[in-house]
Amino acid sequence: MNKLSEILNAPAEACAADGERAFELIRELYPICRSITGDGVRATLGRIGERIPLSTFEVASGTTAYDWTVPKEWNIRAAYIRNARGQKIVDFADNNLHVVNYSTPVNRRMSLEELRPHLYASSEHPDWIPYRTSYYRETWGFCLTQRQLDALEEGEYEVVIDSQLEPGNLTYAECVIPGTSSREMLLFTHCCHPSTCNDNLTGLAVTTLLAERLLKCEHRLTYRVVFAPATIGSITWLSRNEANLHRIEYGLVLGLLGDSAPLQFKRSRRGSTPIDQVAEYVLRGQYPDARLVDFSPYGYDERQFCSPGIDLPLGRLTRSSNGEYAEYHSSADNLEFIRASALGESLRAILQIIATADSNQRYLNLQPKCEPRLGKYGLYRPTGGSGPNRFEYALFWILNQSDGEHSLLDIARRSGIPHGELAEAAAALEQAGLLRAAED
Ligand code: ZN
């Protein structure tokens, strides 16, 4: 088994093939009509479950989660608008964004005047279908391009939405990947959007590939990967897992990972937790264009994880942020909008953040009185005279700073030696019996 920390010293192209694989998974999941509940979510989690072991949870409609209630379950088979000549002028079968997500069933004839209040288009982008939802207000509607809307003639229309909105379940899934420690890193991504790519298929695909990698390597932390609908999903998950939140040492909300904007890390509510320190170290050191932004109580599910009564050490990694690009929540957030190379780079950056966190321990020097004789342990060159090489330099720094107070990241920042090199040196010192972890 590989060590997770190997990614820290791997070349930049190490995740290029994974970027292509993430893109293929997105292509596979793209046609499925997802929502915050229903069979689209189950089908999506089913496909992901073919790649990584998933435990799926079903939470009944009406279940209370803090101030919220799990809604009715929504499923849809078909929807269309047919004009007086019998032509389908808007059809869910062409693009599932055509129906307002969570629309109640309809099947009747009506005038254009009656239909019009139920139609949504974007005059700014006349060729795009907007993505609209009506989760918490029972109504129905269609989304169409401005050109389709402008072309509608007076007359009678047949309007059909073959949907069901009935008591059922909310579905979410977890993949737990145990490490040598019970301390956890939470990786959360939302799974509730229909055919839109950057938001949220890139999050689903990159998170799936991350889990695949973590399953194949040795690591310290236990990784808890959660796929759940946005907002109600994270709220429901939190309400059912509150007793275990104390185990979470690091957390990341992941999404919007395939567009061409530079990487962006949004800090936790407290702003100085371990994930803030690790993400800043990795991004500042390796991704000069990356943006680091402070917490704000709007965005994705960090809103719930960083609410004051939860307050987890959790940040958010995206490229663009929500609402920051024109194609957001429209049919233009499609397969053409995202890039495999951006997915690969996102995956690599997240793996580096994870690997840095995973090896970011405090250690105790077991020979703290004067320097140990490294040659005795096979850790120092037999011939003297020249100065220490990089590896030896790393050994000296770790031994000097390992009094149980300084983490490997503290030592990296103080010494200027890359965290990955320190992690290798620490492993060698542990092997030689000169060092042990101060935690756990
Ligand atoms: Zn969204």
Side-chain angles (χ1 to χ4, degrees):
M1 245 192 183
N2 298 335
K3 280 193 167 17
L4 175 57
S5 58
E6 282 169 19
I7 189 72
L8 294 170
N9 303 319
E13 58 276 13
C15 294
D18 283 323
E20 299 288 344
R21 292 180 59 230
F23 197 96
E24 284 315 306
L25 178 55
I26 292 167
R27 193 193 297 281
E28 181 184 332
L29 299 177
Y30 181 64
I32 301 173
C33 182
R34 281 161 291 271
S35 183
I36 52 173
T37 62
D39 291 335
V41 175
R42 291 190 189 97
T44 301
L45 296 175
R47 300 283 179 89
I48 291 172
E50 291 166 9
R51 291 171 163 79
I52 58 173
L54 280 187
S55 305
T56 304
F57 300 84
E58 300 277 349
V59 184
S61 305
T63 304
T64 303
Y66 303 117
D67 203 29
W68 296 62
T69 305
V70 173
K72 290 178 186 169
E73 179 177 325
W74 186 69
N75 285 293
I76 182 161
R77 281 172 293 273
Y80 56 86
I81 302 172
R82 214 194 283 271
N83 66 15
R85 289 190 291 281
Q87 299 159 321
K88 280 186 185 172
I89 51 159
V90 177
D91 192 350
F92 171 81
D94 297 335
N95 190 317
N96 57 39
L97 297 182
H98 274 313
V99 168
V100 172
N101 203 285
Y102 251 66
S103 282
T104 50
V106 191
N107 187 352
R108 59 190 176 86
R109 296 181 171 277
M110 62 186 77
S111 66
L112 181 58
E113 197 188 350
E114 208 182 339
L115 175 60
R116 212 180 267 286
H118 295 277
L119 302 179
Y120 303 88
S122 163
S123 54
E124 236 178 297
H125 301 287
D127 292 310
W128 299 355
I129 308 162
Y131 161 50
R132 294 278 182 277
T133 65
S134 65
Y135 299 144
Y136 302 104
R137 188 172 65 93
E138 291 199 6
T139 182
W140 59 269
F142 283 87
C143 300
L144 61 172
T145 69
Q146 186 67 42
R147 290 189 207 290
Q148 282 176 306
L149 182 64
D150 293 344
L152 295 182
E153 296 160 2
E154 291 301 327
E156 200 181 51
Y157 289 89
E158 181 193 355
V159 180
V160 173
I161 298 179
D162 182 8
S163 66
Q164 270 180 315
L165 187 59
E166 289 169 3
N169 292 286
L170 174 146
T171 313
Y172 69 83
E174 279 189 14
C175 173
V176 179
I177 309 164
T180 54
S181 166
S182 59
R183 305 294 297 162
E184 291 187 2
M185 181 184 268
L186 173 68
L187 300 168
F188 182 95
T189 194
H190 62 276
C191 62
C192 50
H193 290 37
S195 292
T196 52
C197 283
N198 200 34
D199 179 23
N200 56 188
L201 287 171
T202 60
L204 289 175
V206 168
T207 306
T208 302
L209 267 70
L210 279 172
E212 278 184 355
R213 282 270 192 136
L214 291 168
L215 283 158
K216 283 189 221 143
C217 63
E218 287 174 19
H219 46 82
R220 173 178 68 98
L221 295 168
T222 290
Y223 292 89
R224 189 173 298 274
V225 183
V226 180
F227 301 90
T231 310
I232 188 63
S234 55
I235 293 171
T236 302
W237 185 86
L238 279 165
S239 74
R240 292 160 58 93
N241 289 278
E242 202 180 317
N244 299 325
L245 299 182
H246 63 93
R247 294 188 200 140
I248 296 173
E249 204 167 294
Y250 296 89
L252 279 174
V253 164
L254 299 171
L256 301 173
L257 295 164
D259 65 272
S260 56
L263 291 158
Q264 178 176 175
F265 178 75
K266 178 177 170 180
R267 294 187 176 94
S268 72
R269 178 174 181 266
R270 280 175 274 156
S272 57
T273 68
I275 189 67
D276 300 298
Q277 294 171 30
V278 167
E280 179 160 350
Y281 174 79
V282 170
L283 294 175
R284 284 238 195 283
Q286 308 233 21
Y287 302 87
D289 298 339
R291 292 175 291 168
L292 292 139
V293 300
D294 284 333
F295 179 77
S296 62
Y298 188 70
Y300 279 167
D301 291 284
E302 68 277 10
R303 295 154 71 164
Q304 318 311 332
F305 295 113
C306 293
S307 57
I310 305 289
D311 205 16
L312 288 178
L314 169 142
R316 185 190 75 185
L317 196 91
T318 61
R319 301 188 76 93
S320 288
S321 62
N322 46 302
E324 205 182 36
Y325 60 100
E327 294 83 354
Y328 180 73
H329 282 190
S330 84
S331 58
D333 186 351
N334 56 22
L335 291 164
E336 279 77 57
F337 180 67
I338 57 167
R339 296 279 171 272
S341 57
L343 293 166
E345 188 193 57
S346 301
L347 186 79
R348 177 166 178 259
I350 300 163
L351 274 170
Q352 287 172 321
I353 290 170
I354 291 175
T356 302
D358 203 87
S359 54
N360 186 31
Q361 279 177 289
R362 285 192 292 277
Y363 288 97
L364 282 172
N365 177 345
L366 301 177
Q367 286 283 1
K369 294 183 179 172
C370 300
E371 291 173 343
R373 275 184 63 199
L374 292 178
K376 227 167 89 177
Y377 305 90
L379 292 170
Y380 205 74
R381 286 160 301 159
T383 49
S386 62
N389 64 26
R390 281 177 79 98
F391 181 70
E392 291 155 355
Y393 212 55
L395 298 176
F396 289 137
W397 268 106
I398 293 168
L399 286 168
N400 184 275
Q401 295 291 298
S402 291
D403 51 9
E405 296 294 317
H406 303 100
S407 69
L408 224 51
L409 191 62
D410 295 330
I411 303 172
R413 287 189 294 213
R414 184 159 178 187
S415 66
I417 300 170
H419 186 97
E421 291 181 29
L422 289 173
E424 271 181 24
L429 286 166
E430 260 190 305
Q431 189 95 46
L434 288 169
L435 198 70
R436 74 168 167 81
E439 295 153 313
D440 296 344

